Short mmCIF file of all heavy atoms in Angstrom, two decimals:
data_model
loop_
_atom_site.label_atom_id
_atom_site.label_comp_id
_atom_site.label_asym_id
_atom_site.label_seq_id
_atom_site.Cartn_x
_atom_site.Cartn_y
_atom_site.Cartn_z
N ASN A 1 -193.28 -65.45 57.75
CA ASN A 1 -194.39 -66.40 57.68
C ASN A 1 -195.49 -65.85 56.76
O ASN A 1 -195.54 -64.64 56.50
CB ASN A 1 -194.95 -66.78 59.02
CG ASN A 1 -195.49 -65.55 59.77
OD1 ASN A 1 -196.53 -64.99 59.35
ND2 ASN A 1 -194.83 -65.16 60.82
N HIS A 2 -196.33 -66.73 56.23
CA HIS A 2 -197.38 -66.29 55.31
C HIS A 2 -198.57 -65.65 56.02
O HIS A 2 -199.32 -64.91 55.37
CB HIS A 2 -197.86 -67.51 54.50
CG HIS A 2 -196.82 -68.00 53.54
ND1 HIS A 2 -196.58 -67.39 52.32
CD2 HIS A 2 -195.95 -69.05 53.58
CE1 HIS A 2 -195.59 -68.03 51.69
NE2 HIS A 2 -195.24 -69.06 52.42
N ASP A 3 -198.74 -65.88 57.33
CA ASP A 3 -199.82 -65.22 58.03
C ASP A 3 -199.64 -63.72 58.03
O ASP A 3 -200.60 -62.97 57.85
CB ASP A 3 -199.85 -65.73 59.49
CG ASP A 3 -200.23 -67.20 59.61
OD1 ASP A 3 -201.42 -67.48 59.61
OD2 ASP A 3 -199.30 -68.04 59.66
N ASP A 4 -198.41 -63.27 58.21
CA ASP A 4 -198.15 -61.82 58.19
C ASP A 4 -198.40 -61.23 56.81
O ASP A 4 -198.91 -60.11 56.69
CB ASP A 4 -196.76 -61.52 58.68
CG ASP A 4 -196.60 -61.72 60.20
OD1 ASP A 4 -197.61 -61.77 60.87
OD2 ASP A 4 -195.44 -61.81 60.67
N GLU A 5 -198.00 -61.96 55.76
CA GLU A 5 -198.25 -61.47 54.42
C GLU A 5 -199.75 -61.26 54.19
O GLU A 5 -200.17 -60.25 53.65
CB GLU A 5 -197.69 -62.44 53.40
CG GLU A 5 -197.88 -61.96 51.95
CD GLU A 5 -197.76 -63.02 50.91
OE1 GLU A 5 -198.00 -64.21 51.26
OE2 GLU A 5 -197.46 -62.69 49.76
N LYS A 6 -200.56 -62.25 54.61
CA LYS A 6 -202.00 -62.11 54.42
C LYS A 6 -202.56 -60.98 55.22
O LYS A 6 -203.47 -60.27 54.77
CB LYS A 6 -202.66 -63.45 54.86
CG LYS A 6 -202.38 -64.62 53.92
CD LYS A 6 -203.01 -65.91 54.47
CE LYS A 6 -202.65 -67.11 53.59
NZ LYS A 6 -203.13 -68.35 54.19
N LEU A 7 -202.04 -60.76 56.44
CA LEU A 7 -202.50 -59.64 57.26
C LEU A 7 -202.23 -58.30 56.60
O LEU A 7 -203.08 -57.43 56.59
CB LEU A 7 -201.79 -59.68 58.60
CG LEU A 7 -202.15 -58.56 59.59
CD1 LEU A 7 -203.60 -58.70 60.08
CD2 LEU A 7 -201.16 -58.59 60.79
N PHE A 8 -201.06 -58.20 55.94
CA PHE A 8 -200.69 -56.93 55.33
C PHE A 8 -201.41 -56.72 54.01
O PHE A 8 -201.95 -55.64 53.74
CB PHE A 8 -199.17 -56.90 55.09
CG PHE A 8 -198.40 -56.31 56.20
CD1 PHE A 8 -198.25 -57.01 57.38
CD2 PHE A 8 -197.80 -55.07 56.08
CE1 PHE A 8 -197.53 -56.50 58.41
CE2 PHE A 8 -197.08 -54.55 57.10
CZ PHE A 8 -196.94 -55.23 58.31
N PHE A 9 -201.43 -57.75 53.18
CA PHE A 9 -201.80 -57.51 51.78
C PHE A 9 -203.10 -58.18 51.34
O PHE A 9 -203.71 -57.77 50.35
CB PHE A 9 -200.66 -57.94 50.85
CG PHE A 9 -199.39 -57.24 51.12
CD1 PHE A 9 -198.20 -57.88 51.01
CD2 PHE A 9 -199.36 -55.90 51.53
CE1 PHE A 9 -196.96 -57.25 51.29
CE2 PHE A 9 -198.13 -55.25 51.80
CZ PHE A 9 -196.98 -55.94 51.65
N GLY A 10 -203.57 -59.20 52.07
CA GLY A 10 -204.76 -59.91 51.66
C GLY A 10 -204.69 -60.33 50.19
O GLY A 10 -203.75 -61.07 49.82
N ARG A 11 -205.62 -59.91 49.40
CA ARG A 11 -205.65 -60.27 47.99
C ARG A 11 -204.97 -59.19 47.11
O ARG A 11 -205.02 -59.27 45.89
CB ARG A 11 -207.08 -60.49 47.52
CG ARG A 11 -207.77 -61.65 48.23
CD ARG A 11 -209.16 -61.83 47.71
NE ARG A 11 -209.83 -62.95 48.37
CZ ARG A 11 -211.08 -63.35 48.13
NH1 ARG A 11 -211.80 -62.66 47.23
NH2 ARG A 11 -211.63 -64.36 48.77
N ASP A 12 -204.39 -58.23 47.74
CA ASP A 12 -203.77 -57.11 46.99
C ASP A 12 -202.43 -57.59 46.44
O ASP A 12 -201.47 -57.75 47.17
CB ASP A 12 -203.57 -55.93 47.93
CG ASP A 12 -203.22 -54.64 47.17
OD1 ASP A 12 -202.87 -54.78 45.97
OD2 ASP A 12 -203.36 -53.59 47.76
N GLY A 13 -202.36 -57.86 45.14
CA GLY A 13 -201.20 -58.46 44.56
C GLY A 13 -200.15 -57.50 44.07
O GLY A 13 -199.11 -57.91 43.51
N ILE A 14 -200.33 -56.19 44.23
CA ILE A 14 -199.38 -55.24 43.70
C ILE A 14 -198.03 -55.32 44.36
O ILE A 14 -197.01 -54.82 43.83
CB ILE A 14 -199.92 -53.79 43.76
CG1 ILE A 14 -200.07 -53.34 45.22
CG2 ILE A 14 -201.18 -53.65 42.98
CD1 ILE A 14 -200.41 -51.87 45.37
N TYR A 15 -197.96 -55.95 45.58
CA TYR A 15 -196.72 -55.98 46.30
C TYR A 15 -195.96 -57.33 46.09
O TYR A 15 -194.85 -57.48 46.53
CB TYR A 15 -196.99 -55.81 47.81
CG TYR A 15 -197.67 -54.57 48.14
CD1 TYR A 15 -199.05 -54.50 48.20
CD2 TYR A 15 -196.97 -53.40 48.44
CE1 TYR A 15 -199.73 -53.34 48.54
CE2 TYR A 15 -197.63 -52.20 48.78
CZ TYR A 15 -199.01 -52.20 48.83
OH TYR A 15 -199.67 -51.04 49.15
N LYS A 16 -196.61 -58.28 45.46
CA LYS A 16 -196.11 -59.66 45.38
C LYS A 16 -194.67 -59.67 44.82
O LYS A 16 -193.80 -60.44 45.29
CB LYS A 16 -196.99 -60.51 44.51
CG LYS A 16 -198.34 -60.85 45.17
CD LYS A 16 -198.17 -61.80 46.32
CE LYS A 16 -199.54 -62.24 46.84
NZ LYS A 16 -199.43 -63.15 47.98
N LYS A 17 -194.40 -58.89 43.79
CA LYS A 17 -193.10 -58.94 43.16
C LYS A 17 -191.98 -58.46 44.11
O LYS A 17 -190.81 -58.75 43.88
CB LYS A 17 -193.09 -58.10 41.90
CG LYS A 17 -193.30 -56.59 42.13
CD LYS A 17 -193.32 -55.84 40.79
CE LYS A 17 -193.48 -54.32 41.02
NZ LYS A 17 -194.75 -53.97 41.67
N ASN A 18 -192.35 -57.75 45.18
CA ASN A 18 -191.36 -57.23 46.10
C ASN A 18 -191.21 -58.09 47.37
O ASN A 18 -190.48 -57.75 48.29
CB ASN A 18 -191.73 -55.84 46.52
CG ASN A 18 -191.82 -54.87 45.37
OD1 ASN A 18 -191.03 -54.96 44.44
ND2 ASN A 18 -192.76 -53.93 45.39
N THR A 19 -191.95 -59.20 47.41
CA THR A 19 -192.02 -60.03 48.62
C THR A 19 -191.02 -61.17 48.63
O THR A 19 -190.82 -61.83 47.65
CB THR A 19 -193.43 -60.57 48.80
OG1 THR A 19 -194.37 -59.50 48.93
CG2 THR A 19 -193.54 -61.48 50.00
N HIS A 20 -190.37 -61.35 49.78
CA HIS A 20 -189.43 -62.44 50.00
C HIS A 20 -189.79 -63.15 51.30
O HIS A 20 -190.30 -62.55 52.21
CB HIS A 20 -187.99 -61.89 50.07
CG HIS A 20 -187.59 -61.03 48.94
ND1 HIS A 20 -186.86 -61.51 47.89
CD2 HIS A 20 -187.81 -59.73 48.70
CE1 HIS A 20 -186.64 -60.53 47.05
NE2 HIS A 20 -187.20 -59.43 47.50
N PHE A 21 -189.45 -64.44 51.39
CA PHE A 21 -189.69 -65.20 52.60
C PHE A 21 -188.38 -65.79 53.11
O PHE A 21 -187.67 -66.50 52.38
CB PHE A 21 -190.70 -66.35 52.34
CG PHE A 21 -192.09 -65.86 52.24
CD1 PHE A 21 -192.64 -65.53 50.97
CD2 PHE A 21 -192.90 -65.65 53.35
CE1 PHE A 21 -193.91 -65.01 50.85
CE2 PHE A 21 -194.18 -65.18 53.23
CZ PHE A 21 -194.70 -64.86 51.99
N ILE A 22 -187.99 -65.42 54.33
CA ILE A 22 -186.80 -65.92 54.96
C ILE A 22 -187.24 -66.32 56.40
O ILE A 22 -187.73 -65.50 57.17
CB ILE A 22 -185.69 -64.88 55.06
CG1 ILE A 22 -185.33 -64.43 53.62
CG2 ILE A 22 -184.46 -65.47 55.74
CD1 ILE A 22 -184.28 -63.32 53.58
N LYS A 23 -187.10 -67.59 56.77
CA LYS A 23 -187.58 -68.08 58.07
C LYS A 23 -186.68 -67.63 59.16
O LYS A 23 -185.72 -68.30 59.57
CB LYS A 23 -187.70 -69.61 58.03
CG LYS A 23 -189.07 -70.15 57.68
CD LYS A 23 -189.13 -71.63 58.01
CE LYS A 23 -190.54 -72.13 57.76
NZ LYS A 23 -190.66 -73.58 58.05
N GLY A 24 -186.97 -66.45 59.71
CA GLY A 24 -186.24 -65.95 60.84
C GLY A 24 -184.88 -65.37 60.50
O GLY A 24 -184.56 -65.19 59.31
N SER A 25 -184.13 -65.04 61.51
CA SER A 25 -182.83 -64.42 61.33
C SER A 25 -181.71 -65.40 61.26
O SER A 25 -180.52 -65.03 61.21
CB SER A 25 -182.59 -63.39 62.46
OG SER A 25 -182.78 -63.99 63.71
N GLY A 26 -182.04 -66.70 61.29
CA GLY A 26 -181.05 -67.76 61.17
C GLY A 26 -180.37 -68.06 62.47
O GLY A 26 -180.50 -67.38 63.49
N VAL A 27 -179.60 -69.14 62.47
CA VAL A 27 -178.89 -69.56 63.66
C VAL A 27 -177.55 -70.11 63.27
O VAL A 27 -177.41 -70.73 62.18
CB VAL A 27 -179.74 -70.60 64.44
CG1 VAL A 27 -179.96 -71.84 63.62
CG2 VAL A 27 -179.08 -70.95 65.78
N ASP A 28 -176.53 -69.87 64.09
CA ASP A 28 -175.18 -70.40 63.83
C ASP A 28 -175.18 -71.88 64.17
O ASP A 28 -175.21 -72.22 65.33
CB ASP A 28 -174.18 -69.59 64.64
CG ASP A 28 -172.73 -69.93 64.34
OD1 ASP A 28 -172.47 -71.11 63.93
OD2 ASP A 28 -171.90 -69.06 64.50
N LEU A 29 -175.06 -72.68 63.19
CA LEU A 29 -175.11 -74.14 63.39
C LEU A 29 -173.87 -74.70 64.06
O LEU A 29 -173.87 -75.86 64.53
CB LEU A 29 -175.39 -74.86 62.04
CG LEU A 29 -176.71 -74.54 61.34
CD1 LEU A 29 -176.79 -75.28 60.03
CD2 LEU A 29 -177.92 -74.80 62.24
N ASN A 30 -172.82 -73.90 64.08
CA ASN A 30 -171.60 -74.32 64.82
C ASN A 30 -171.68 -73.97 66.27
O ASN A 30 -171.28 -74.73 67.18
CB ASN A 30 -170.36 -73.66 64.19
CG ASN A 30 -170.12 -74.20 62.80
OD1 ASN A 30 -170.23 -75.38 62.53
ND2 ASN A 30 -169.76 -73.28 61.87
N GLU A 31 -172.24 -72.78 66.58
CA GLU A 31 -172.41 -72.42 67.97
C GLU A 31 -173.52 -73.24 68.63
O GLU A 31 -173.35 -73.75 69.72
CB GLU A 31 -172.78 -70.93 68.09
CG GLU A 31 -173.03 -70.48 69.50
CD GLU A 31 -173.48 -69.01 69.60
OE1 GLU A 31 -173.65 -68.37 68.54
OE2 GLU A 31 -173.65 -68.53 70.73
N PHE A 32 -174.64 -73.38 67.91
CA PHE A 32 -175.76 -74.17 68.43
C PHE A 32 -175.66 -75.58 67.77
O PHE A 32 -176.40 -75.87 66.82
CB PHE A 32 -177.09 -73.52 68.17
CG PHE A 32 -177.29 -72.30 69.01
CD1 PHE A 32 -176.82 -71.07 68.62
CD2 PHE A 32 -177.94 -72.37 70.23
CE1 PHE A 32 -177.00 -69.95 69.41
CE2 PHE A 32 -178.14 -71.27 71.03
CZ PHE A 32 -177.66 -70.05 70.59
#
């Protein structure tokens, strides 16, 4: 989530190129 990114880095952009967003660890759509 973006809240955690803001908590870690604020306006510090040096890490941006290394940042990825993946919503959770996923779920098996066949099992669930």
